[in-house]
Amino acid sequence: MAATASFWSGKSVFLTGHTGFKGSWLGFWLSAMGARVTGYALEPPTTPSLFEAAALRDRLHRSEIADIRDRDRLAAALSAARPDIVIHMAAQPLVLRSYRDPVETYATNVMGTVHLLDAVRRIDSVRVVVNVTSDKCYENREWVWGYRENEPMGGRDPYSNSKGCAELVTAAFRQSFFPPGDSPVALVSGRAGNVVGGGDWAEDRLVPDLIRAFLDGRPAVVRNRHSTRPWQHVLDPLHGYLMLAEAAWTEPATHAEGWNFGPAEGSARPVHWVADRLASLWGDGAAWVDNSGPAGPHENRFLALDCSKARQRLGWAPRWDLAETLARTVEWYRAYGRGQDIPALMSAQLLAYNEARPAV
């Protein structure tokens, strides 16, 4: 199964966080399928940004630069758009930044979600809401097996905890205002993490840190080299969110719940393995060095998701394994560094992804 262009063509979609990395890829994909996308987000969080490189402003029906914490403006924008589907991706997405500014993190990730869901219940056009959270919403016990959707919410750092709180908010609004079977609105959540792909320029993330150094011709500085993560290409979870929205539209009562979208088995690798592979793919003497400084704030060493529910009930599966993921990522940044046509490259990568067979 796959996301269906005929389903999305002509649909009105309200997409928060459309100027971020994942949001820009999703806005590009939705627009390519003919959706009428209204974006709502702050200015692009980095310079350069995928939003600008993809010329996304010209592809959307409307791009509103505003804050998810501005309750009245958000409600007005949602009311004006009268969307069929809402996809909520606006967030403060960085663990280390959450230590520096926990108030901003909770205000954005928790109260921003409250503002959006409260606005949704006051208009009658919405049929599906997809709240995108994170794999870090779970109470991480450093297990070697993946977390299932019914595991307890938690989070030791402010970012992870805020995402657990956002999931609890979602569950409370679902039961209070959008009860499955009785409400015309299907409220679902999608959980994924450690996505990589072309166009991510965020600070304190492994791949962007490596790529910046490679483009500058200097060794990259890598921290937490032994931490293991389940890496996946950004298109894999986005594909899951699209398929989930379609399923919730058709059968709202049986899909209004939380869903995991993690990578294929074998995609969990330590940081140093990914750094070595990217340096090799980049060539030109690309290299990295271990950060031997004092330990920073706590970050989880291992976290994985059990995605059997999405595989069995949605027919979703990741399509690009880790080797393909890293090769496509390098392809994007190499093209960017050479000044090539980024929208054309993204269209080509989307086509290749849609034609790929699911990874085992």
Side-chain angles (χ1 to χ4, degrees):
M1 296 179 66
T4 310
S6 60
F7 171 87
W8 291 97
S9 180
K11 288 286 193 304
S12 176
V13 181
F14 191 87
L15 174 62
T16 73
H18 70 291
T19 60
F21 167 53
K22 290 175 70 176
S24 291
W25 266 109
L26 186 57
F28 190 93
W29 196 345
L30 287 166
S31 298
M33 292 190 292
R36 184 173 178 266
V37 181
T38 297
Y40 183 101
L42 297 174
E43 292 282 359
T46 61
T47 301
S49 74
L50 180 59
F51 179 76
E52 298 293 347
L56 193 58
R57 198 185 311 272
D58 298 331
R59 294 174 176 269
L60 304 183
H61 170 70
R62 177 174 171 77
S63 174
E64 183 161 351
I65 302 301
D67 198 324
I68 198 77
R69 293 170 292 182
D70 187 336
R71 178 182 178 183
D72 292 339
R73 184 164 179 181
L74 174 62
L78 194 69
S79 179
R82 291 194 58 77
D84 304 304
I85 297 172
V86 175
I87 304 179
H88 179 40
M89 303 186 76
Q92 192 297 95
L94 302 174
V95 172
L96 293 184
R97 181 172 169 182
S98 78
Y99 281 107
R100 296 192 295 267
D101 198 342
V103 173
E104 176 209 21
T105 300
Y106 282 101
T108 301
N109 295 353
V110 183
M111 289 309 300
T113 302
V114 172
H115 293 163
L116 180 73
L117 297 181
D118 189 56
V120 166
R121 72 187 186 94
R122 299 177 189 280
I123 60 175
D124 61 4
S125 65
V126 178
R127 289 271 302 274
V128 175
V129 180
V130 180
N131 181 27
V132 175
T133 62
S134 169
D135 60 351
K136 295 179 179 64
C137 68
Y138 293 106
E139 181 181 339
N140 190 353
R141 301 176 183 177
E142 304 283 351
W143 285 335
V144 296
W145 55 84
Y147 292 88
R148 295 170 294 180
E149 287 86 349
N150 60 354
E151 304 280 2
M153 298 294 103
R156 175 171 171 174
D157 59 87
Y159 168 76
S160 302
N161 187 265
S162 74
K163 287 300 187 177
C165 290
E167 284 284 354
L168 295 175
V169 165
T170 302
F173 267 76
R174 182 186 300 122
Q175 295 303 318
S176 300
F177 305 113
F178 312 114
D182 294 328
S183 170
V185 180
L187 174 55
V188 305
S189 64
R191 303 158 186 173
N194 289 99
V195 298
V196 300
D200 187 3
W201 299 100
E203 294 182 1
D204 300 321
R205 282 187 185 156
L206 176 63
V207 172
D209 287 348
L210 289 166
I211 294 298
R212 273 188 291 268
F214 296 167
L215 285 168
D216 292 344
R218 57 180 171 80
V221 177
V222 172
R223 57 190 173 84
N224 300 328
R225 66 190 302 267
H226 294 295
S227 292
T228 299
R229 298 285 186 269
W231 311 92
Q232 63 188 138
H233 195 275
V234 63
L235 294 180
D236 271 335
L238 296 185
H239 188 213
Y241 307 153
L242 294 172
M243 292 181 66
L244 176 57
E246 292 182 34
W249 181 280
T250 304
E251 298 179 343
T254 57
H255 290 88
E257 51 196 33
W259 298 77
N260 289 340
F261 299 99
E265 254 186 76
S267 292
R269 289 286 188 275
V271 164
H272 66 81
W273 188 96
V274 174
D276 285 341
R277 184 59 179 258
L278 278 174
S280 176
L281 286 168
W282 191 269
D284 293 341
W288 62 275
V289 295
D290 187 18
N291 178 11
S292 57
H298 174 269
E299 294 182 79
N300 295 322
R301 291 182 60 84
F302 185 79
L303 176 62
L305 297 178
D306 181 331
C307 304
S308 54
K309 185 170 82 168
R311 287 175 177 269
Q312 294 169 12
R313 292 177 54 187
L314 296 178
W316 172 88
R319 295 197 170 196
W320 281 348
D321 61 17
L322 186 54
E324 185 74 15
T325 290
L326 297 180
R328 293 288 181 175
T329 300
V330 168
E331 176 187 44
W332 193 100
Y333 287 108
R334 275 296 196 185
Y336 179 86
R338 293 169 180 150
Q340 294 176 0
D341 186 336
I342 292 301
L345 174 66
M346 291 174 68
S347 295
Q349 289 197 342
L350 273 175
L351 179 61
Y353 179 85
N354 285 324
E355 292 178 344
R357 297 175 63 87
V360 177

